[in-house]
Amino acid sequence: MSATLLKVSGLKVAYGGIQAVKGVSFEVREGELVSLIGANGAGKTTTLKAITGTQAVAAGDIEYRGRSIKGQGAWDLVKQGLVMVPEGRGTFTRMTITENLQMGAFVRNDKAQIAADMEMVFGIFPRLKERALQLAGTMSGGEQQMLAMGRGLMARPKVLLLDEPSKGQSPIMVDKIFEVVADIHARGTTVLLVEQNASRALSLANRGYVMDSGEVTMTGDAKALLNDPKVRAAYLGE
């Protein structure tokens, strides 16, 4: 069995007096694609923010590569290979596509390898290469999502955390985004995918966790969850 890269134990996160995450535990092993699914407001994004150091943790622990990282800043975690592509893309709108990708590599200084990785990203996203000098803010939402994912890859992630990459996209762009997630995983990157689109997320994943009201309510093999009547009724509209 592969080594556990990311382990979350009894994680609690509160906003003011409201408990948003109530003792969540899960793990991601090396080489896996793990999906965290659940309705809007289930606590999925808050969990990712806590893992990546952008949200304070009230209780519990987060281990990455066997060591606790609770309380470490996002900057340090990116340098260690824990990289998040946030919901809502967050591109630098007044910078070009190329400059945005270079920002993804800001923690690195291996120039030749950065150039090679830029070509790798352009290979995955040919549309970005065609428009390398275009300002990010003038692109469509789907193109900006591709750019955000490409920028995440430029940091050379050991674990890539994707927060709702298909949200608000056209059906054609949703297909493209899930194709790309599968490609990134096939190239050897470990992925934690947070998605409202449960059927697409579970069909790509090795394992899945279902979150509801700040708690993990179900877990298991992704295909088994996809065929579970409770999951199908709650998240696939059946």
Side-chain angles (χ1 to χ4, degrees):
M1 191 183 283
S2 306
T4 298
L5 280 183
L6 182 65
K7 185 176 182 181
V8 175
S9 309
L11 180 70
K12 293 183 180 180
V13 181
Y15 293 110
I18 300 164
Q19 192 94 8
V21 177
K22 306 167 185 171
V24 162
S25 299
F26 63 88
E27 64 175 36
V28 181
R29 297 192 281 265
E30 191 167 5
E32 280 192 314
L33 194 163
V34 172
S35 284
L36 194 58
I37 65 165
N40 205 5
K44 306 184 304 294
T45 294
T46 301
T47 298
L48 287 195
K49 286 180 174 177
I51 291 169
T52 51
T54 57
Q55 175 64 48
V57 173
D61 200 12
I62 302 156
E63 289 175 44
Y64 173 59
R65 301 171 82 193
R67 290 208 309 263
S68 177
I69 54 168
K70 189 169 78 169
Q72 285 192 34
W75 165 272
D76 285 330
L77 296 175
V78 169
K79 284 198 281 192
Q80 294 171 55
L82 195 62
V83 177
M84 177 166 152
V85 178
E87 183 188 339
R89 304 179 286 276
T91 54
F92 300 102
T93 55
R94 296 185 180 186
M95 297 169 77
T96 66
I97 287 169
T98 299
E99 287 166 342
N100 266 272
L101 293 175
Q102 286 167 341
M103 286 299 287
F106 73 99
V107 296
R108 299 171 53 186
N109 52 20
D110 50 339
K111 282 187 180 168
Q113 205 52 58
I114 289 170
D117 285 351
M118 183 88 75
E119 284 310 309
M120 180 263 296
V121 168
F122 283 148
I124 296 172
F125 302 104
R127 201 176 300 192
L128 297 184
K129 184 164 191 173
E130 289 163 19
R131 305 178 180 195
L133 300 178
Q134 186 173 326
L135 293 179
T138 63
M139 300 164 73
S140 72
E143 289 163 345
Q144 287 193 45
Q145 182 63 55
M146 289 182 190
L147 178 56
M149 291 166 76
R151 188 183 63 202
L153 289 175
M154 288 299 296
R156 280 241 164 146
K158 290 186 176 65
V159 183
L160 183 65
L161 297 88
L162 298 171
D163 190 12
E164 303 280 10
S166 76
K167 192 174 182 180
Q169 304 294 352
S170 69
I172 289 173
M173 196 51 80
V174 167
D175 287 343
K176 174 67 181 167
I177 284 165
F178 281 109
E179 227 174 81
V180 166
V181 174
D183 184 18
I184 289 168
H185 179 235
R187 288 167 184 261
T189 301
T190 302
V191 178
L192 176 58
L193 172 65
V194 158
E195 256 298 336
Q196 277 185 50
N197 191 331
S199 60
R200 297 297 294 267
L202 289 173
S203 62
L204 283 187
N206 304 109
R207 291 186 307 110
Y209 292 86
V210 179
M211 274 189 84
D212 186 26
S213 305
E215 299 177 277
V216 170
T217 54
M218 295 177 74
T219 176
D221 173 81
K223 304 300 177 284
L225 285 175
L226 191 54
N227 293 314
D228 187 290
K230 284 188 285 191
V231 174
R232 299 192 75 85
Y235 302 106
L236 308 182
E238 292 182 5

